[in-house]
Each structure stands twice: as structure tokens, then as C-alpha cells.
Amino acid sequence: MYARIALGNVRKSFRDFAVFFLTLAFGVCVFYAFGSITDQAAVIQMAEDQRRMVQALADILSGLSAFVVVILGFLVVYANRFLIRRRKREFGIYLTLGMDIRHVSWIVVIETLVVGVVALGVGLLLGLALSQVMMYVTAGLFEATIKGFVFAFSPSACLSTVACFAGIFLVTLFFNVTTVSRYRLIDLINADKTSEKVRLRSLPLSVVLFLASLVLVGVAYKVLLEHGMMEEGPYFTIATGLVTVGTLLFFFSISGFALRALQASPRAYLSGLNMFVMRQLNSRINTAWLSISLVCAMLFLAICGVCTGFSVATGMNESLRVGTVYDMSLISYPMGMAVMEAAPHEEGPAAADGYDAIARLRADIPNYDDLFRDAVQVNQYTYDAAGNPLVDTTVEELFANTDFTGNATVQTMMQGNTAQRLTVVPVSEYNTLAQMAGEKTVELAAGECLLWNDLSSLDELWDSVTAQNPEVEVGGQTLRFAEEPLVHLLFSDTAAGGTVSGALVVPDDMVPAGAGPSVTAVNLMYAGDRTEVEPAAVAAIEEAYGDIMGQGSTLDAWPVWTATTAQNLLDQSSGTTVVVTYLAIYIGVVLLVCCATVLALQQLSEAADNVGRYRVLSELGAEKRMIDHALLAQIGVYFLFPLVVAVAHAAVALSVVNDIVALLTGFQIGTALVGTVAFVVALYGGYFLVTYLTSRSMLARG
């Protein structure tokens, strides 16, 4: 009999269980899909390095899943708290009719198990479908292939999902039984007469606090935009503190301010059920301002996390596409790593004029001509043979003489690199490299020079420098920048979007005899397909110079090389892209579900408490359409406030993050921001719709 009652309750009141069911099913779906990443990758044809990256991702996700289980467990318990509160009067009637408290608890146990098992089954099916989609997405991110149609099922992920959520169900059952067993009959019968305590009653004070909150948030925005996140000093801490206090005050006072503002227009205030809606919002938001503030903070973190994750991943891919022009790049610092800041010391044959690194490679690699079809050596010089700087003007002096109004992130970044000296590159070496890369060569008129910058994010800075400092001293001679002063040819393969910023391309005779290069790059092109030739090329290079793909050559013979290859960079990037993207989605989805669930349950609880009030409105003659509109407005505003504030905070924070991402990758995050907001609105809006429909059903039955 009790099982029949429980099943009947679930069938008749399924809308009451909707948020609980949706949260469980969505949690199971996400938990299984991300837990099965290793088995998804097993059917994808990928390199060994990529498989290691997938395993690292799986290890990270397994650790993160413990946190996710705790969060979802909290949400399930929170959802059940609403269900229990919603049905206090029903339980009181059961007891009044003679049912024992143990039997009431048993009904609750059966209901929870039924909804939980169905949600688990539906969630696993959805997770299985999502995992198939993720499998092809993973293959696309790794640029790998899947032969034919495959269906990947992960028994381990399924078992761990069932085990984790079974544990959550047991905790929920214990909570439900304990809660119901502690209720007294009089408390259950009078449950709908309990009211919330209003924290702030003074409407004028609400207005003052609201305006103060706007001032605090505005000052925080100004500090963050002017100083960024990287500038030394307490600026970022100050901005964080101000926006936190401002947000708390905003939600503490917004309901009173909105009520006061609407009362200033009697026509609007008395129109329809606006007066009732505003009083309801004032009462509810005034008592739940802290939880709404926390929801706003979680939404902010979700938007920023997902957007930044997508942006970094996409930016890395974009920067690698433009940063892997050559098949292999060998880099050495013949005069020592400190040569950019201090006087050089002689070390090996690089101190002699005209060192030919390519000839050295030919001599050390027997099958050089079978592996490489072309190679270009480019040298950057900082000092002459006597140790005197070739460029008298330092980077610090150039920046001091430049009025640059660009973003704070670039200014801060460059302030930390002012000790670096300008280097010079012979124009013939630049043109030889340009020819190999298929780019346009340059010509220098008498007394002209160019500024080499392959970091596109710094173009604006160097444009200002060259415009405001049109001349520079090189080797005791004055050179002027050409009409188009910047050149952007890639100096060497890199994952950072560029490797040279501030080198001067000068006539060959400006490099004095006997000068040793501070940086030497040898860029090579394979004699065949990159994927086929690279293993043999890397093996030949490492046989001659040691582990140059790692810490540098280990042989005593000079030079000490480090190497990068385009294929290796692309493989590493694809793995990093998958890790960053999946972590951003996983964390973002969990935070969004937390936010939406908390707001949904609060509003459902509010609707359950207000059944009597809406019944009175109906008895006073209010049409159903007006009541539905009032309910929609109340729930809509409650959901909209934290989202709007979170989006505003995220827009300002991401504008600063955008500067950092653009500086590192040359990629703007605008596209990712639009996609992230659309994703947030879709998921958030789904919970809003379920909340509204469930609340309307409650009022209709009440």
C-alpha cells in the first residue's frame, strides 16, 4: 500500500520533482561523459604523446570528480529539503489520519528511490550519447581519425557513476528520514504560516546603500581597467575587495531601491499586479540577498572560466598555425643567456666573425642533405667585439620617451622587460629567411632601419615607439626608421605566437667585424612530408647534439642547441587544447547547474509558501492571465538579477583577461565570450522555464 501511495505521489506530482530529477539526470550525464574520456580515446588513432595527454586529463578529471560529487550531493540534499518543506502539510494529514511516522518516512524513501533510479537511468543514457559526441570532438581537437562508426562504452565510468550517485542517494534518504521523523504534527499542519524575517525595512536607506554599491563597483571597474591584473601593487586586491562589497550591498538593497523607484510613478506602481510583485520581490530578495550574491559569484566564475578556457585553447591553436612556418628551429645563445643585459664573454667559435652554423650541421649530420632541403641562419647581435653595445638607446629609454596609451597589461609586461637591449640583424639574413618562408623581402635606403616584431599583440606599442622616436643610434651612426617601420616575419617556430620583439634590421655593414651573435637561429625545411621525415630528422639531430628537444645538447662540443619542431608543437598544443577545453566545460557546467538549481529551488519554495496569497488575488477578481504574468515577472527578475550582474562583472574582468590572452596568443576572446553567454543563457534559461512551469502548476492546484 505504501509503495502504491508513493508511486501515485510521484506520478501525480512529477512537476514538483522536476528540478530534483533534472539536476540528478544532468549530473549523472556530465559525470559519466567526462569519466569515460579514456575509453573514448581508446578508439581514436592518435600519437603516443597525445595518449599521454589524454591520460593526464583523465587523472585531473578523476580528482576533480570528487569535488563534483560533493557539489552534486549538496544540490540533491538541497532539492530534497525543498520537497520535504513543500509537503509538510501533506505529511501532517497522513499523521492526522493515523499513519505512523515510520510509514511516512517509508513513503519518502520509496519516492526518492523511484525518482533517483529513473534519473540515474536517463542520465546514463544521455551521458552515453554525450560521450559519443565528445569522442568525435576529441578526435577533431587532436586532428586524429576514427575508422568507421564506433560505439564506445566505458564500464569503469558507468560503475563509478552508479557508485557515486548511489552514495548520494543513501545520504539523501538518511537526510529525508531523519528530517521527517523529527517533525511534530503541529509544525506540519502550520508549516505554511511561517514567514521570513525581513532584514532591511527602510526604503530611503535602501536607496542610499544601492547608490553606494554602484559607486563601489564603478571604482572597482576603473581600478581594474587602469591597472590590469599584472601590475605590481595592491590594485587587483583593491578592485576585488571593492567589487565584492559593492555586489553584496547591491543585492542587499536592490529590492528596496526598485520598490522606491516604482513608487515614484504611481501609475506604474498601481498598474495590474505590479504592487503585489514588487512587494513579493522586496520581501524575498531582502531575506535571501546573501545566497543570491553567492549565486552571482558562481555565475561570474563559470562565465570567466568557460570563456577563458575556450579562448586560451583557441588562441593557442591560432598562434600555432601562424607560429609554425618552419619544419624545425634550432636556437642557441653563443654569448650566454645574460648577454641581453650585461657585457658578453667569449665562448667558442661564435666569438669569431662569420660563424657558419649550417656548415657545422652538415659536418655533424652525415645524411643532412637527405633530411633537409633548405636552411637559413639568422643572427641577432647585441655587442661588438670589444663588448660595447651596438645600440646606444636602451628599451627603457625608448619606452620612457614614448607616450603609449595602450592597455595596462602590455604596459606592465613591457615594464618588466626594459633591461633588455635592442639587437641588430643584417638585412641580408632577414631577406634570406623571408625567401624561404615565402614572404616579401625588404629593401633599406641609405640610413634606414626596420624594427622586427613577430608578436602581433605588441604592434601597437612598437608603432607608437617608432613614430615618437624616428631615429636610433646604431654603432655610432644615426639610422631612421623606414616609412613602414615594422616587419613581422616569424623568427623561429614557437608556441607563443612569436620570439623576437625589438630587433633592428639594419644594413649588413652596420654589424662590425668580430662581433659574436647573442642569439642564433637556424630554421630548416624537411626534404619531404613533415610527418614522415621528422622522426629521422629529430633522431639525427639528437645523435649529433644530445637531447636538444629537452634541456639542450649535452655534449661538451659547442654549440649548445635547443630545438623545436612544428609537428611537436602542434601535437602538444592539441593535447593542451583538449585538457583546457574539457576542464573549462566541466567546471563551468557544474557551477551553472549549482546556480540554477539554488535559484530554482528558492523560487519553488517561495511559490509553495505563496499559494494562499495567489488564491486571495484570484478571489479578489484577478484574472489567471494577470496572475501568471505576475508569477513570470517575479521569477524572471529573481533569475535575471544575478545573471546581469555576473555578466557585467565578467565583461570587465574578461576585457583585462583578453589583453593577457592576446599578448600570449594574439587571439581575441570576443567570439568565445558570445558563445559562452549563449551557453549560459540556454542552460540557465532551461532551469528558469522549468521553475516557472512548476510554480504555475503549484498555484493552479493550490
Side-chain angles (χ1 to χ4, degrees):
M1 180 183 70
Y2 300 113
R4 187 165 62 250
I5 294 175
L7 293 175
N9 288 341
V10 173
R11 185 176 62 255
K12 290 183 296 183
S13 304
F14 186 76
R15 287 189 178 181
D16 292 349
F17 292 91
V19 173
F20 173 56
F21 176 85
L22 182 63
T23 301
L24 271 179
F26 202 83
V28 171
C29 171
V30 172
F31 193 87
Y32 170 82
F34 282 90
S36 62
I37 185 70
T38 304
D39 292 294
Q40 297 169 27
V43 300
I44 303 175
Q45 295 180 346
M46 58 178 65
E48 186 63 30
D49 289 343
Q50 294 174 330
R51 292 192 180 278
R52 283 197 294 268
M53 190 67 72
V54 171
Q55 186 58 51
L57 171 63
D59 294 340
I60 296 173
L61 290 176
S62 63
L64 187 62
S65 294
F67 165 76
V68 172
V69 168
V70 173
I71 295 297
L72 291 176
F74 163 77
L75 289 180
V76 171
V77 171
Y78 193 79
N80 270 274
R81 180 188 175 197
F82 156 73
L83 291 174
I84 296 298
R85 180 179 178 181
R86 166 81 177 89
R87 303 174 62 198
K88 281 183 179 180
R89 190 174 181 84
E90 175 189 340
F91 296 152
I93 293 175
Y94 286 157
L95 295 177
T96 302
L97 294 176
M99 189 177 293
D100 188 83
I101 192 67
R102 293 183 293 106
H103 296 148
V104 175
S105 299
W106 180 238
I107 291 175
V108 173
V109 168
I110 296 175
E111 291 173 351
T112 305
L113 282 175
V114 169
V115 176
V117 170
V118 175
L120 181 61
V122 172
L124 284 174
L125 291 176
L126 292 176
L128 194 59
L130 178 60
S131 68
Q132 308 309 305
V133 175
M134 287 177 59
M135 179 174 61
Y136 286 92
V137 172
T138 304
L141 291 173
F142 277 115
E143 298 184 357
T145 58
I146 301 176
K147 286 188 175 181
F149 174 79
V150 295
F151 182 82
F153 174 72
S154 175
S156 59
C158 182
L159 289 175
S160 63
T161 301
V162 172
C164 289
F165 282 86
I168 292 176
F169 294 153
L170 290 176
V171 173
T172 303
L173 289 176
F174 175 78
F175 172 83
N176 287 346
V177 172
T178 303
T179 302
V180 172
S181 64
R182 289 179 178 177
Y183 283 138
R184 294 180 301 171
L185 179 60
I186 189 65
D187 295 329
L188 296 173
I189 296 297
N190 296 320
D192 58 347
K193 298 180 181 180
T194 304
S195 59
E196 300 279 0
K197 181 179 179 181
V198 178
R199 303 290 181 184
L200 182 62
R201 297 180 180 275
S202 174
L203 295 184
L205 180 58
S206 296
V207 174
V208 173
L209 293 178
F210 177 79
L211 295 177
S213 72
L214 294 183
V215 171
L216 290 175
V217 172
V219 172
Y221 287 175
K222 185 174 185 293
V223 171
L224 186 61
L225 291 174
E226 287 185 353
H227 299 280
M229 296 182 179
M230 300 171 62
E231 184 171 341
E232 292 185 5
Y235 302 108
F236 182 70
T237 302
I238 291 174
T240 303
L242 288 176
V243 79
T244 301
V245 176
T247 302
L248 291 171
L249 284 180
F250 179 88
F251 287 111
F252 185 66
S253 60
I254 181 61
S255 59
F257 172 81
L259 179 60
R260 186 69 173 179
L262 193 61
Q263 286 177 341
S265 175
R267 182 176 180 179
Y269 182 63
L270 299 175
S271 175
L273 297 179
N274 287 349
M275 179 173 61
F276 173 79
V277 172
M278 288 307 302
R279 290 290 180 178
Q280 288 290 101
L281 287 171
N282 182 51
S283 172
R284 185 59 185 168
I285 295 179
N286 197 283
T287 57
W289 63 274
L290 184 58
S291 63
I292 297 177
S293 299
L294 293 176
V295 166
C296 177
M298 286 194 294
L299 283 172
F300 166 75
L301 292 175
I303 294 173
C304 289
V306 173
C307 187
T308 302
F310 276 125
S311 299
V312 170
T314 307
M316 289 177 61
N317 285 337
E318 292 296 324
S319 65
L320 270 175
R321 286 189 177 92
V322 300
T324 51
V325 175
Y326 319 111
D327 289 334
M328 178 183 287
S329 295
L330 303 176
I331 307 294
S332 69
Y333 300 87
M335 308 303 294
M337 290 294 292
V339 72
M340 309 293 272
E341 303 177 16
H345 60 276
E346 292 190 1
E347 181 178 342
D353 185 28
Y355 173 70
D356 191 342
I358 297 177
R360 178 66 180 271
L361 289 172
R362 287 181 179 276
D364 293 339
I365 301 175
N367 58 338
Y368 175 90
D369 290 325
D370 296 331
L371 298 172
F372 305 105
R373 64 174 172 82
D374 203 357
V376 174
Q377 175 180 339
V378 181
N379 301 305
Q380 295 184 45
Y381 298 88
T382 308
Y383 297 94
D384 61 18
N388 301 311
L390 292 176
V391 183
D392 294 332
T393 305
T394 65
V395 174
E396 184 173 9
E397 291 171 346
L398 282 177
F399 291 159
N401 296 330
T402 302
D403 182 16
F404 178 63
T405 57
N407 64 70
T409 301
V410 171
Q411 294 184 32
T412 302
M413 182 266 198
M414 295 311 297
Q415 287 172 3
N417 290 274
T418 54
Q420 176 181 331
R421 286 193 171 276
L422 291 175
T423 60
V424 298
V425 177
V427 66
S428 61
E429 294 183 1
Y430 176 90
N431 283 333
T432 304
L433 184 63
Q435 289 174 348
M436 186 177 76
E439 300 290 340
K440 184 174 66 174
T441 59
V442 298
E443 292 184 5
L444 293 177
E448 279 190 343
C449 67
L450 297 167
L451 193 139
W452 192 352
N453 172 58
D454 61 7
L455 288 166
S456 59
S457 55
L458 298 180
D459 280 349
E460 184 181 357
L461 171 64
W462 286 116
D463 275 329
S464 299
V465 169
T466 55
Q468 298 176 40
N469 303 271
E471 295 182 345
V472 62
E473 294 287 332
V474 179
Q477 299 183 39
T478 300
L479 298 180
R480 67 182 182 279
F481 288 110
E483 184 177 353
E484 295 183 3
L486 300 187
V487 289
H488 307 93
L489 178 65
L490 191 70
F491 181 73
S492 64
D493 280 341
T494 176
T499 54
V500 61
S501 184
L504 299 177
V505 179
V506 301
D508 288 13
D509 58 9
M510 297 298 297
V511 179
S518 54
V519 181
T520 295
V522 177
N523 295 302
L524 304 107
M525 304 299 287
Y526 296 145
D529 182 77
R530 178 181 289 174
T531 57
E532 295 177 0
V533 177
E534 178 154 309
V538 171
I541 291 287
E542 292 192 340
E543 183 179 352
Y545 300 110
D547 184 20
I548 63 173
M549 300 296 293
Q551 301 299 317
S553 55
T554 58
L555 301 182
D556 294 334
W558 188 93
V560 178
W561 293 106
T562 57
T564 56
T565 68
Q567 192 61 47
N568 182 260
L569 290 174
L570 291 171
D571 289 343
Q572 290 179 357
S573 172
S574 62
T576 305
T577 298
V578 173
V579 172
V580 173
T581 301
Y582 282 179
L583 287 179
I585 294 175
Y586 198 28
I587 296 173
V589 167
V590 170
L591 289 177
L592 283 175
V593 170
C594 290
C595 297
T597 301
V598 169
L599 290 180
L601 294 176
Q602 287 181 345
Q603 280 303 288
L604 290 174
S605 178
E606 177 77 359
D609 292 342
N610 290 330
V611 169
R613 296 184 178 93
Y614 281 98
R615 186 188 304 119
V616 171
L617 287 178
S618 180
E619 293 172 353
L620 291 175
E623 299 178 356
K624 184 178 184 301
R625 179 180 58 82
M626 295 178 63
I627 294 176
D628 290 344
H629 181 75
L631 179 65
L632 179 64
Q634 179 180 336
I635 297 176
V637 170
Y638 199 83
F639 268 77
L640 194 62
F641 271 3
L643 179 61
V644 169
V645 175
V647 169
H649 290 350
V652 175
L654 288 173
S655 68
V656 178
V657 173
N658 179 62
D659 296 335
I660 300 175
V661 174
L663 189 63
L664 297 176
T665 67
F667 180 76
Q668 303 289 328
I669 68 175
T671 304
L673 177 60
V674 173
T676 301
V677 172
F679 169 71
V680 170
V681 170
L683 181 59
Y684 199 71
Y687 268 86
F688 162 74
L689 184 61
V690 170
T691 303
Y692 169 68
L693 294 176
T694 305
S695 298
R696 190 176 66 175
S697 175
M698 289 181 184
L699 298 184
R701 295 199 307 268

